[in-house]
Amino acid sequence: MAGTLVEKSRKRDLRFGLMLTAPSVIIILMLLGYPMGYAIFMSFHQWNDKLGADHQFIGLNNYGQLITDPAVWAAMERTAYFSVITVVGGVALAVIIAILLNRKFRGRTLARVLLLVPWAVPPVVNGIMWKLIFDGSVGIVNTILRSLGLIKENIQWLADPTAAMNILIFAETWKLLPFLCLLMLAALQGIPESIYRAAAIDGADAWNTFWRITLPNIRGPLMFALIVQSMWSLKVFDTIYVLSGGSGGPVSGTTTINFLDYITTFSNLDRGYGSAMAVGIMLLVLIVSAFWIFVFGGFSRKRREANG
């Protein structure tokens, strides 16, 4: 009898919970589900506004074009270069800064406050700021280098594809680093000090302390940071648009796959092919997220086997 009452109570609580979450789920489906579904629908059609309003069904032709398009592969190479540095390098740098800020030192509160400054800068303003800093005529970088005698003539930083991409990486890392640092700092503060004291008594060095204590205890937030940073790296747009003047240049040097999708859809007006590219980017995000989950899941299993 008691078991039946408990079961009824659980079902009632479940129905009540579903009733509370239903409005939010419906709104999310309307705001996200419909556009995504419509993009998938468009991707199966020849939806090019330059060719008129006759949107013919062409099946998987747009997806086949994605596989053979040299521009897509070139954009994917630039995206891979950009993503690896901003994701792995950015998160690693965030962990190092968070460890330093987690220590007690004079001015720690001020340092934590100053860390938030880049995060408060809007993406477009961030792009404008770095564009002015590296401007070939009036940029402060050229001014400093000339004053130090390192260069005699101004360098057109944003006119070189490699330099422009590296500036983009620096600007995006500078902008997103505070969020990652705060995330890692919050994770570090959740580790009891007694564990570190016990490790110090046992004679553990800095590397073993990090590898055996710090890293396992921040595994969850670290995985979240890598997933979120990977998503941001694949969808970067604002900074590219501002730095390149909307062209993705020079010589497509900063045209990542997401920016190529923008050019295809809104400049070339090939909405069918652009929708197929958007679906491909969405699948890429899911694959990268699954990769990080798999990596950290395997790491967790190895740790449990080692301790068990």
Side-chain angles (χ1 to χ4, degrees):
M1 184 66 180
T4 304
L5 292 175
V6 171
E7 187 66 24
K8 288 183 177 179
S9 177
R10 289 178 177 175
K11 290 182 179 179
R12 184 169 60 252
D13 291 342
L14 179 61
R15 287 195 297 269
F16 182 69
L18 292 175
M19 183 180 66
L20 291 178
T21 57
S24 299
V25 173
I26 293 173
I27 292 174
I28 291 174
L29 289 176
M30 291 174 60
L31 294 177
L32 298 179
Y34 174 76
M36 291 172 61
Y38 194 63
I40 294 173
F41 170 78
M42 293 174 66
S43 69
F44 292 110
H45 293 76
Q46 188 183 37
W47 204 297
N48 193 323
D49 291 351
K50 292 182 179 180
L51 302 179
D54 185 17
H55 309 312
Q56 297 180 2
F57 178 81
I58 56 174
L60 297 174
N61 287 8
N62 283 326
Y63 293 96
Q65 184 179 347
L66 275 178
I67 299 174
T68 59
D69 191 346
V72 171
W73 286 106
M76 285 297 297
E77 289 179 6
R78 289 186 288 268
T79 303
Y81 175 74
F82 173 84
S83 298
V84 168
I85 297 178
T86 56
V87 175
V88 179
V91 173
L93 184 59
V95 172
I96 294 171
I97 294 175
I99 291 175
L100 294 176
L101 291 179
N102 195 42
R103 297 179 177 179
K104 294 180 180 179
F105 59 90
R106 191 172 183 180
R108 182 175 67 169
T109 302
L110 178 61
R112 291 179 177 180
V113 172
L114 292 176
L115 180 66
L116 294 173
V117 173
W119 182 249
V121 177
V124 174
V125 177
N126 179 54
I128 294 173
M129 179 182 69
W130 290 108
K131 185 175 183 178
L132 292 175
I133 289 174
F134 285 95
D135 185 87
S137 301
V138 296
I140 191 173
V141 172
N142 279 332
T143 302
I144 294 174
L145 293 178
R146 282 202 317 272
S147 65
L148 294 175
L150 298 177
I151 61 173
K152 295 182 179 180
E153 298 180 354
N154 286 342
I155 299 176
Q156 301 298 323
W157 300 98
L158 296 175
D160 179 77
T162 303
M165 173 56 77
N166 291 328
I167 291 169
L168 171 64
I169 291 171
F170 187 85
E172 279 297 298
T173 303
W174 183 85
K175 175 72 175 67
L176 299 174
L177 192 61
F179 171 79
L180 300 174
C181 288
L182 291 177
L183 185 63
M184 293 297 99
L185 183 59
L188 290 172
Q189 291 181 336
I191 305 175
E193 286 289 337
S194 58
I195 300 179
Y196 288 110
R197 287 196 294 268
I201 293 173
D202 290 339
D205 57 18
W207 171 251
N208 281 313
T209 300
F210 172 78
W211 184 254
R212 297 181 180 277
I213 297 176
T214 303
L215 190 59
N217 282 281
I218 65 171
R219 185 176 61 249
L222 185 60
M223 180 182 70
F224 176 76
L226 287 167
I227 292 174
V228 171
Q229 185 73 349
S230 297
M231 292 180 179
W232 282 338
S233 69
L234 291 173
K235 72 179 186 65
V236 61
F237 175 81
D238 310 75
T239 310
I240 297 177
Y241 188 89
V242 175
L243 285 177
S244 67
S247 65
V251 198
S252 300
T254 57
T255 301
T256 60
I257 188 64
N258 189 52
F259 200 82
L260 178 64
D261 188 16
Y262 161 78
I263 293 175
T264 301
T265 305
F266 296 102
S267 296
N268 301 340
L269 300 180
D270 194 348
R271 305 188 190 279
Y273 187 43
S275 297
M277 202 177 298
V279 174
I281 294 172
M282 180 180 65
L283 293 176
L284 184 60
V285 169
L286 294 176
I287 292 171
V288 172
S289 301
F291 167 78
W292 288 122
I293 294 172
F294 173 79
V295 168
F296 279 83
F299 178 78
S300 300
R301 286 192 298 271
K302 290 181 180 179
R303 294 291 300 185
R304 286 196 298 268
E305 291 172 1
N307 296 330

